[in-house]
């Protein structure tokens, strides 16, 4: 399974993007914000937006955990 390596919403907040700003500026929708809160994976489009805001790579956000 793939999971987040960091608390994405906390990282966005530290970069000046709280959930209200993300919604109001239509950067990330409410559904995707809730998915991030719940630890659920979001689409690659949203991952791309997050990477752009945080100036990072997808590998900085998610990792594969071997289930074996």
């Amino acid at each position: 399974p793939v999971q987040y390596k960091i608390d994405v919403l906390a990282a966005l907040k530290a970069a000046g993007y709280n959930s209200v700003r993300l919604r109001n500026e239509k950067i990330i929708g409410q559904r995707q914000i809730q998915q991030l809160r719940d630890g659920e994976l979001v689409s690659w489009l949203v991952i791309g937006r997050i990477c752009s805001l945080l100036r990072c790579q997808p590998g900085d956000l998610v990792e594969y955990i071997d289930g074996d």
Side-chain angles (χ1 to χ4, degrees):
V2 176
Q3 66 183 25
Y4 293 105
K5 293 166 77 172
I6 64 169
D7 183 338
V8 177
L9 289 177
L12 287 167
K13 187 174 183 179
Y17 296 95
N18 63 20
S19 59
V20 173
R21 182 175 179 192
L22 292 171
R23 278 193 317 267
N24 288 346
E25 295 182 16
K26 298 182 181 179
I27 299 169
I28 300 175
Q30 180 59 39
R31 180 170 181 238
Q32 289 78 23
I33 292 170
Q34 189 60 49
Q35 286 176 305
L36 290 168
R37 279 191 188 117
D38 294 340
E40 297 174 10
L41 295 178
V42 293
S43 71
W44 284 112
L45 179 65
V46 174
I47 294 288
R49 288 183 186 153
I50 293 168
C51 287
S52 176
L53 295 174
L54 297 179
R55 295 189 172 107
C56 68
Q57 293 295 314
D60 298 326
L61 302 176
V62 296
E63 65 183 339
Y64 172 75
I65 304 296
D66 191 357
D68 294 339

